[in-house]
Amino acid sequence: MASPWWQRAVVYQLYPRSFSDSNGDGVGDLRGVVDRLDYLEWLGVGGLWLNPIHPSPNADWGYDVADYCDVHPELGTLADADRLIAAANRRGIEIVLDLVPGHTSDEHPWFSDASKRGWYIWSDEAREGTSVFGGPSWTERDGAWYFHAFHAKQPNVNWLNDEVRDAFDRILRFWFDRGVAGFRIDVSHDFVRDGEGHVRRDLTHDVLRSWRRIADEYDPPRVLIGETWVHDLAELMTFYGQGDELHMAFNFPFLFASLEELGAVAARTEALLPEGAWPIWALSNHDVVRFPTRMCDGDEAKVRRALRILLSLRGTPVLYQGDELGLEQVAVPPDRIRDVAERDGCRTPIPWTRSGGWREPWLPLGDTSRNVEDERSDPASVLNLVRELIAARSTHV
Ligand code: NOJ
Ligand code: CA
């Protein structure tokens, strides 16, 4: 049997707001992605993971979802999503969306629907706790307190409620039926919380198993990729279950290793992986400092070394947009910071040309000396190295 697409492909993580802007309003959008499929096909990637595309007040840039079955108007429409899926598929590129099951926006209609009070985690009294973004994890609304692991505008969902499970099953099917090839699952290691906001790993595994059954109903089966932010590799492996949970669990010990340690972390990962489980590797994402700055001190020789490692391991490599250019973290001036956790420096727009190729982008461009146009025409560029490394993989898998 041929191996599934995600075992053959290099996946490209695409941050839609900062990828490509089709209408010049300064915000990247889905039509912009379609416009750049030539580039992505030329690069040789076989899958795109798109950060959240849904309507959102953007308290956490799309991770505060107000409607799981629609597209944010700044990014496009549902019809644009369909067109993107079809156009990408025609080029042999699969689309993976971001699923955010742990919390919704407080502006999601569920949250203000009195009949759905049991869909969230409420307490009659104030409780102690600190959220990931700082500040309390319980916030008062109309005389009661709700739990939020992240921003106060991201109330946690009550996974002990079967109606919530059903609602998310429908969301999975909604997108799978539209041709989406899988999901990257936000906070997939601990999105299930009890009535006090405590993590319930046992039930988290249970939900992952139920989604795997849904993913396996499809032909071809859909893929589940977890944002498993755990620091212990043995613990990471539990999310593969008995081959009945995640297909791939993101490896943060690898991502946070030094350049010198990458090989050793990869070897430890391989030694611990359960029989038949498939590793996934990334050096950067939209939450952390870009790897050329974090691991390589901006030294291009080191950037090339890191990319050679990433793209030669067994497993699925994930390039975060800009990795292929060797793009560094951008020093975003304080008055341009938009993110609650100040992660803007890794989310700045892709420089398409020396002058950027953007009209007044929502975040500053930073240094454009590394840009697609110049690197594409330079056979010795980082971009062309990445393209060659991807092409070399395809002759081996
Ligand atoms: C992980 C996402 O990658 C990050 O951007 C977000 O802030 C948190 N989960 C909360 O959804
Ligand atoms: Ca736009």
Side-chain angles (χ1 to χ4, degrees), residues 251-279:
N251 189 327
F252 284 89
F254 179 81
L255 183 145
F256 285 122
S258 67
L259 179 55
E260 293 67 34
E261 290 162 351
L262 285 177
V265 178
R268 276 211 302 284
T269 302
E270 282 286 5
L272 287 166
L273 265 178
E275 181 77 31
W278 189 257

Side-chain angles (χ1 to χ4, degrees), residues 21-25 27-29 74:
D21 178 12
S22 70
N23 61 351
D25 67 355
V27 176
D29 45 58
E74 279 184 318

Side-chain angles (χ1 to χ4, degrees), residues 60 63 103 133 150 184 186-187 227 286-287 343 347:
D60 185 15
Y63 286 95
H103 43 262
F133 293 145
F150 292 89
R184 173 270 192 187
D186 189 60
V187 204
E227 187 213 10
H286 63 292
D287 291 331
R343 294 164 291 189
R347 299 177 178 182

Side-chain angles (χ1 to χ4, degrees), residues 291-325:
F291 86 85
T293 308
R294 176 166 35 87
M295 285 186 186
C296 306
D297 322 305
D299 173 348
E300 191 178 298
K302 291 184 180 175
V303 171
R304 287 170 183 263
R305 186 135 53 92
L307 288 166
R308 278 183 201 284
I309 295 170
L310 175 74
L311 292 163
S312 61
L313 291 170
R314 183 189 86 102
T316 300
V318 181
L319 288 164
Y320 175 52
Q321 66 178 42
D323 282 358
E324 77 276 26
L325 304 170

Side-chain angles (χ1 to χ4, degrees), residues 117-369:
R117 193 171 174 80
W119 290 34
Y120 293 88
I121 301 172
W122 290 97
S123 163
D124 291 334
E125 60 207 45
R127 290 181 186 272
E128 299 284 302
T130 307
S131 79
V132 173
F133 293 145
S137 58
W138 292 86
T139 291
E140 195 255 1
R141 172 101 29 133
D142 301 329
W145 283 260
Y146 64 90
F147 173 76
H148 51 93
F150 292 89
H151 198 281
K153 284 184 69 60
Q154 292 169 296
N156 269 67
V157 162
N158 176 17
W159 276 96
L160 275 42
N161 184 328
D162 283 342
E163 289 174 9
V164 166
R165 285 185 172 231
D166 292 346
F168 275 89
D169 286 358
R170 285 194 293 274
I171 292 164
L172 260 69
R173 289 202 166 90
F174 176 88
W175 289 106
F176 289 163
D177 290 342
R178 293 190 107 86
V180 161
F183 284 109
R184 173 270 192 187
I185 302 165
D186 189 60
V187 204
S188 64
H189 53 298
D190 65 5
F191 63 93
V192 178
R193 305 284 185 138
D194 67 12
E196 271 94 56
H198 303 127
V199 172
R200 286 288 303 267
R201 282 258 162 101
D202 53 337
L203 295 179
T204 306
H205 288 290
D206 192 49
V207 176
L208 293 176
R209 277 190 293 271
S210 71
W211 289 346
R212 177 63 176 263
R213 286 193 292 273
I214 295 176
D216 285 344
E217 282 170 19
Y218 283 79
D219 182 23
R222 306 310 199 231
V223 63
L224 303 178
I225 310 172
E227 187 213 10
T228 35
W229 196 304
V230 293
H231 293 289
D232 179 57
L233 284 174
E235 177 72 20
L236 177 68
M237 300 313 162
T238 66
F239 291 92
Y240 287 90
Q242 312 292 320
D244 58 355
E245 295 189 32
L246 297 173
H247 295 86
M248 294 184 276
F250 267 115
N251 189 327
F252 284 89
F254 179 81
L255 183 145
F256 285 122
S258 67
L259 179 55
E260 293 67 34
E261 290 162 351
L262 285 177
V265 178
R268 276 211 302 284
T269 302
E270 282 286 5
L272 287 166
L273 265 178
E275 181 77 31
W278 189 257
I280 181 166
W281 314 102
L283 297 172
S284 293
N285 66 36
H286 63 292
D287 291 331
V288 301
V289 173
R290 284 184 174 278
F291 86 85
T293 308
R294 176 166 35 87
M295 285 186 186
C296 306
D297 322 305
D299 173 348
E300 191 178 298
K302 291 184 180 175
V303 171
R304 287 170 183 263
R305 186 135 53 92
L307 288 166
R308 278 183 201 284
I309 295 170
L310 175 74
L311 292 163
S312 61
L313 291 170
R314 183 189 86 102
T316 300
V318 181
L319 288 164
Y320 175 52
Q321 66 178 42
D323 282 358
E324 77 276 26
L325 304 170
L327 215 62
E328 285 210 55
Q329 188 79 356
V330 172
V332 176
D335 64 326
R336 297 290 305 269
I337 295 280
R338 307 285 300 275
D339 179 49
V340 58
E342 302 189 11
R343 294 164 291 189
D344 310 71
C346 63
R347 299 177 178 182
T348 56
I350 289 296
W352 291 100
T353 61
R354 173 63 67 140
S355 59
W358 291 72
R359 203 195 295 161
E360 296 184 36
W362 73 294
L363 284 177
L365 273 156
D367 178 10
T368 56
S369 56

